[in-house]
Amino acid sequence: MKNTYLKLAAALVLGVSTTSCQEEFLETVPQGQFSTVGLENAQGVEGLLLGAYAMIDGYGLDGQSGWNGTIDNWVYGGVVSDDAYKGTDAGDQPEQSFLETFDFQPTNLHIRNKWRAVYKGVARTNDVLNTLKEAEDVSDARRAQIVAEARFLRGFFHMEARKMWRNVPYIDDETFVLSDLESSKVPNDQEIWPDIEADFEAAMNVLPEVQSDPGRPTKWAAQAFLAKAKMFQGWNQSTGEANTAVLQEAKTLLEDILMDGPFALTPTFEENFLVGRRNNEESIFEIQFSISSATTAAANEGTTLNYPYTDPWGCCGFYQPSQNLVNAYKTSASGLPLLDTFNEEDVPNDQGLSWDDPFEAYEGPLDPRLDHTVGRRDILYKGYKIHGSDFIRDQNYAGPYSPKKHVAEPEFFGIGANPRLSANNYRIMRLSMVILWLAEAEVELGNLERARELVNLIRERAANPAGYVPRAIQGAERNDFTIVEGEPAANYVISTYDAPWTDPVVARKAVRMETRLEFAMEGHRFFDLQRWGIAAETMNEYLEEEATKRTYLGNASFEKGVHEYFPVPLEAIERSFRDGSPTLVQDPAFD
């Protein structure tokens, strides 16, 4: 998609330049100032729309590292949760270390850059809508579609902001004027969830059920994001109490997607993380990435820090799964999660000093999704080699595990010059999410048996032996291995919940555990804890235990009512001054 945008943008620039050279070559637009001359037509609007899509991955701003604003939220939804550590070593990217230990400061550049990314996206969508108003050669049918796509994107960007910050401004096309820097200085004193919902609902009512271009939202995508907005409003985040009226609204939307939408679960869990299975039958909306030998501009740059330290990647060791997460994949002998006791004993975690050091593997029962989510000792790592000590930069600092879901399989490796760039899409909305959100709603609405049926759909797919990681035996050379056909890599034991659910407390735990197991290391965990209103107790329990393993967490603590959200960036406040006063105010929790 980015490649398409860049090509069209170049054509637009060429067209504008050619026209201006004919008669108006003495009229020069000042450098550094954007001009909409020549864009108020069908081609120009389409180019601007593609420019708005180009911001959906969260990076691409000048002077800003790709991982600061990235849409997969591995820092903001993963590192600050119980799923992962910052990783690598103590001195690398210290601003992430501050976030991991809940030292949230409004001057943190990661927080600033996420703000910049989402509001740059908002600006581009409003520019599309305003330019479209002046374009006379756009058909009514296409005009309606452009508005719907732009409003979907505007809702998407604002949702990202609202997840991150308690108080954020909503900026619409009636307010935004491209040539007026003052126009976007909007106060952050109103709840914006209704505005986000309005954008998604407007898009849902116009978008088609199928798009010919991958990456453009459908009616179903808009409906799923509308339901997601309601799920974020489904609990009182101070008390953890459910808002059943809002959850009923979400249920209606989610049921329609599940029952009437064109989606199905993939046969195996792993297929949602393979380049070769992008935009599959489970996908509702994906962030599109592509790569060629000629350009890497549209590849998944936001995850380039999160690769093992060994060849063929060679860098950089960030975003290492936590011991707590690995322990969560233990099961009972009958194959069910250990909802209350999973963290009482660790899965063995020593990488040794060398990849060929002796190692006694854990023989207890495990959920097979573990080894598609986490790289761990003596287990084949996505078809490349067997995971060992050379994967890890500093085991004493950040543990022995590696992230895995974002890594491209070997047949899609090495296309570009940077070995950590690939075309592995980010599946930001898929049917399994719809199913488990619906299960959440059903628990709170008192329909426990329906919730059990929904959770079992997910567990049945996870239990498909065709999706198990196979056992591999190390060869004489480091990169050599032999797969033992028909033999799984570990003692995978997983089953469905067959006994009726009668206790809502237990049912709630089961659904939330399933959500963690299914979507771990995808940047959602912190925001799930936030919306359920259980972040403080979950994270403080996690920190207390993890500090015995990761000493740098010893002084970390999560303050309820404060750390559920990030502070508004100081830069944003300083740049919001209008008539002598800032229009943006700091979250009172950080005053």
Side-chain angles (χ1 to χ4, degrees):
M1 181 177 295
K2 275 190 173 177
N3 287 340
T4 306
Y5 164 63
L6 291 171
K7 292 175 183 176
L8 183 50
L12 290 170
V13 170
L14 180 61
V16 172
S17 299
T18 303
T19 302
S20 63
C21 286
Q22 291 174 352
E23 298 179 353
E24 302 175 6
F25 61 91
L26 296 178
E27 296 181 14
T28 304
V29 177
Q31 292 185 358
Q33 178 175 320
F34 183 78
S35 172
T36 58
V37 174
L39 298 181
E40 294 166 349
N41 53 57
Q43 186 181 31
V45 171
E46 296 288 359
L48 292 173
L49 180 60
L50 287 173
Y53 276 110
M55 280 307 303
I56 202 169
D57 53 21
Y59 57 85
L61 294 178
D62 290 342
Q64 180 165 313
S65 299
W67 52 86
N68 289 174
T70 181
I71 192 61
D72 65 6
N73 287 318
W74 66 267
V75 175
Y76 315 104
V79 168
V80 298
S81 80
D82 51 355
D83 270 6
Y85 315 124
K86 182 207 74 174
T88 184
D89 64 20
D92 210 345
Q93 295 286 334
E95 288 200 321
Q96 288 187 29
S97 296
F98 293 136
L99 297 178
E100 183 180 13
T101 55
F102 298 100
D103 183 1
F104 290 177
Q105 298 296 328
T107 53
N108 190 299
L109 293 183
H110 281 64
I111 296 173
R112 182 205 72 173
N113 290 344
K114 181 68 174 182
W115 182 285
R116 291 179 68 211
V118 294
Y119 279 104
K120 181 66 172 180
V122 169
R124 288 191 181 184
T125 60
N126 285 326
D127 189 24
V128 170
L129 293 167
N130 285 334
T131 305
L132 179 64
K133 296 169 187 174
E134 306 300 322
E136 298 179 354
D137 60 338
V138 181
S139 70
D140 290 344
R142 183 57 191 147
R143 185 179 299 272
Q145 291 299 310
I146 291 172
V147 170
E149 290 183 41
R151 292 198 68 177
F152 172 88
L153 292 173
R154 187 170 68 187
F156 180 94
F157 292 125
H158 278 108
M159 175 181 277
E160 279 298 298
R162 184 60 183 85
K163 287 161 51 185
M164 286 281 296
W165 295 281
R166 212 179 321 251
N167 306 308
V168 292
Y170 179 85
I171 304 173
D172 64 15
D173 55 299
E174 297 297 326
T175 302
F176 178 83
V177 179
L178 182 64
S179 60
D180 181 6
L181 294 178
E182 302 294 295
S183 67
S184 60
K185 295 179 178 180
V186 175
N188 59 336
D189 58 356
Q190 301 290 323
E191 177 56 76
I192 72 166
W193 280 121
D195 301 299
I196 294 170
E197 288 193 13
D199 274 338
F200 286 136
E201 187 166 7
M204 179 183 76
N205 291 333
V206 174
L207 289 171
E209 294 194 3
V210 177
Q211 290 275 20
S212 58
D213 295 332
R216 293 187 189 268
T218 63
K219 173 256 187 188
W220 300 110
Q223 185 168 329
F225 277 94
L226 176 59
K228 180 176 181 177
K230 294 184 183 296
M231 295 303 292
F232 267 85
Q233 301 168 79
W235 285 266
N236 182 314
Q237 292 180 5
S238 297
T239 65
E241 294 179 359
N243 184 332
T244 54
V246 173
L247 291 174
Q248 180 61 56
E249 293 174 2
K251 173 184 173 177
T252 300
L253 296 165
L254 296 166
E255 275 192 325
D256 184 49
I257 297 170
L258 178 61
M259 303 306 295
D260 297 327
F263 310 104
L265 293 175
T266 57
T268 64
F269 176 67
E270 182 189 23
E271 291 173 79
N272 287 299
F273 316 107
L274 300 176
V275 178
R277 290 287 279 132
R278 293 175 297 174
N279 303 305
N280 59 45
E281 63 270 27
E282 187 170 337
S283 175
I284 298 175
F285 190 69
E286 296 187 14
I287 309 302
Q288 305 292 313
F289 297 117
S290 66
I291 190 171
S292 71
S293 58
T295 178
T296 61
N300 56 348
E301 181 185 349
T303 59
T304 50
L305 294 184
N306 305 339
Y307 285 78
Y309 221 65
T310 187
D311 68 276
W313 309 284
C315 184
C316 293
F318 282 78
Y319 198 30
Q320 291 181 239
S322 70
Q323 185 64 50
N324 182 286
L325 176 63
V326 172
N327 291 345
Y329 285 93
K330 293 190 297 185
T331 67
S332 67
S334 62
L336 292 176
L338 306 177
L339 300 179
D340 296 310
T341 62
F342 72 89
N343 208 37
E344 291 181 355
E345 181 180 346
D346 290 346
V347 173
N349 59 358
D350 182 29
Q351 287 289 351
L353 298 177
S354 174
W355 61 268
D356 56 357
D357 281 351
F359 176 70
E360 186 173 340
Y362 179 71
E363 296 182 355
L366 293 167
D367 187 312
R369 286 172 290 187
L370 168 61
D371 291 324
H372 291 299
T373 303
V374 177
R376 62 191 187 99
R377 181 75 184 272
D378 279 10
I379 305 293
L380 183 62
Y381 188 87
K382 214 150 186 176
Y384 286 92
K385 66 173 77 174
I386 293 173
H387 195 284
S389 61
D390 49 349
F391 276 61
I392 306 299
R393 186 172 187 176
D394 186 349
Q395 181 179 183
N396 290 331
Y397 174 70
Y401 303 116
S402 301
K404 201 169 187 178
K405 285 181 174 179
H406 64 286
V407 177
E409 58 270 36
E411 53 266 40
F412 292 96
F413 169 80
I415 297 173
N418 185 334
R420 298 180 301 280
L421 292 176
S422 77
N424 204 358
N425 288 353
Y426 177 53
R427 284 75 163 178
I428 196 169
M429 184 67 70
R430 58 185 192 267
L431 184 63
S432 49
M433 294 175 180
V434 167
I435 291 171
L436 288 176
W437 284 332
L438 184 54
E440 287 182 33
E442 295 287 26
V443 168
E444 306 306 332
L445 294 171
N447 305 315
L448 303 187
E449 279 298 271
R450 176 57 174 156
R452 181 172 69 89
E453 292 173 4
L454 293 164
V455 168
N456 281 343
L457 292 177
I458 302 300
R459 295 187 65 78
E460 285 169 359
R461 190 260 298 274
N464 182 356
Y468 291 175
V469 173
R471 182 182 175 218
I473 299 175
Q474 178 66 53
E477 300 297 326
R478 177 65 185 100
N479 292 349
D480 293 342
F481 61 86
T482 302
I483 290 177
V484 181
E485 295 294 338
E487 188 173 335
N491 180 21
Y492 300 135
V493 182
I494 182 170
S495 64
T496 56
Y497 288 95
D498 296 332
W501 282 2
T502 57
D503 185 339
V505 174
V506 176
R508 186 178 299 115
K509 284 182 182 179
V511 174
R512 291 177 177 179
M513 174 65 91
E514 201 65 32
T515 297
R516 186 184 192 190
L517 300 176
E518 184 75 6
F519 306 117
M521 303 298 291
E522 296 183 49
H524 303 298
R525 175 64 173 172
F526 176 77
F527 300 111
D528 284 337
L529 297 176
Q530 173 203 89
R531 66 188 178 86
W532 293 329
I534 61 170
E537 58 257 47
T538 302
M539 290 308 302
N540 282 324
E541 182 179 351
Y542 162 79
L543 291 168
E544 182 179 2
E545 175 62 27
E546 288 295 320
T548 66
K549 305 174 178 71
R550 314 271 77 83
T551 57
Y552 69 88
L553 293 175
N555 294 322
S557 65
F558 188 108
E559 185 177 348
K560 187 175 179 62
V562 176
H563 293 128
E564 288 86 356
Y565 293 92
F566 299 90
V568 177
L570 180 61
E571 178 187 89
I573 295 174
E574 291 177 336
R575 292 188 174 186
S576 75
F577 271 75
R578 191 170 189 171
D579 300 325
S581 299
T583 56
L584 295 178
V585 296
Q586 186 55 268
D587 184 337
F590 294 97
D591 282 344

